[in-house]
């Protein structure tokens, strides 16, 4: 009887230790996911979105349309020049940082496979890099990437990942 109780106590202690160890490992991974991937991705997408909105507000035409929308007359040289400036100094560095996160920190993804929105992001950045290289040569015929920016989708993906991981972190911390 005494031996049985001692064994049961040992087994309970062992199982509790395993459970605590697994919880600590999960918390460590969630913390890495937040600090090294989803947190930076969310900050970059949020900053890029706000910068783009500010760019559009500052460059709206008197009739309220955007010079870079599908409707209306094409952008003037001044508008195109302003676009190139913002792309080269704000938007391209932001999206390159997003792409670099995807490439360097793919081990921290929550999914088993690479989400299509992240692959679209990578393709968009490559498309803009060739457009920017043409600008450096003085070729201004193109002003967009060959692949559209998945703006709303990437922002929603980053926000959802960040929010859900913060909730899991709080749960693991007992909050």
């Amino acid at each position: 009887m005494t031996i049985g109780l001692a064994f049961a106590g040992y087994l309970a202690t062992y199982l509790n230790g395993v459970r605590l160890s697994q919880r600590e490992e999960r918390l460590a991974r969630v913390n890495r996911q937040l600090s090294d991937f989803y947190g930076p991705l969310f900050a970059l997408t949020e900053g890029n979105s706000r910068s783009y909105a500010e760019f559009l507000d500052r460059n709206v035409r008197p009739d309220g349309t955007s010079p870079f929308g599908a409707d209306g007359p094409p952008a003037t040289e001044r508008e195109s020049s302003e676009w190139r400036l913002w792309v080269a100094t704000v938007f391209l560095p932001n999206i390159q940082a997003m792409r670099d996160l995807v490439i360097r920190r793919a081990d921290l993804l929550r999914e088993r496979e690479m989400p299509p929105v992240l692959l679209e992001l990578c393709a968009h950045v490559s498309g803009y890099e060739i457009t920017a290289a043409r600008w450096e040569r003085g070729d201004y015929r193109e002003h967009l990437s060959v692949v559209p920016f998945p703006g709303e989708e990437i922002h929603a993906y980053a926000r959802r990942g960040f929010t859900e991981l913060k909730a899991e972190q709080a749960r693991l911390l007992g909050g």
Side-chain angles (χ1 to χ4, degrees), residues 61-114:
R61 289 179 169 160
D63 66 358
T65 63
S66 167
F68 307 99
D71 301 335
T76 65
E77 181 49 41
R78 187 200 66 74
E79 291 166 336
S80 296
S81 176
E82 187 70 8
W83 173 251
R84 290 189 301 269
L85 176 66
W86 277 73
V87 168
T89 59
V90 179
F91 305 132
L92 188 55
N94 280 347
I95 62 175
Q96 286 171 324
M98 290 179 214
R99 184 233 7 233
D100 293 348
L101 272 173
V102 170
I103 292 169
R104 292 188 183 123
R105 303 311 313 221
D107 61 312
L108 296 175
L109 290 173
R110 297 179 319 144
E111 300 85 0
R112 290 183 186 265
E113 294 182 14
M114 182 69 71

Side-chain angles (χ1 to χ4, degrees), residues 20-86:
L20 288 175
S21 176
Q22 289 173 337
R23 183 179 177 153
E24 287 174 13
E25 288 174 17
R26 180 65 191 140
L27 178 59
R29 178 161 172 78
V30 166
N31 287 339
R32 282 192 316 276
Q33 287 175 302
L34 284 167
S35 67
D36 296 346
F37 187 76
Y38 289 95
L41 183 63
F42 179 59
L44 285 165
T45 60
E46 184 69 27
N48 199 63
S49 178
R50 290 179 185 198
S51 295
Y52 184 70
E54 186 61 30
F55 169 80
L56 290 178
D57 284 348
R58 290 172 181 250
N59 290 282
V60 68
R61 289 179 169 160
D63 66 358
T65 63
S66 167
F68 307 99
D71 301 335
T76 65
E77 181 49 41
R78 187 200 66 74
E79 291 166 336
S80 296
S81 176
E82 187 70 8
W83 173 251
R84 290 189 301 269
L85 176 66
W86 277 73

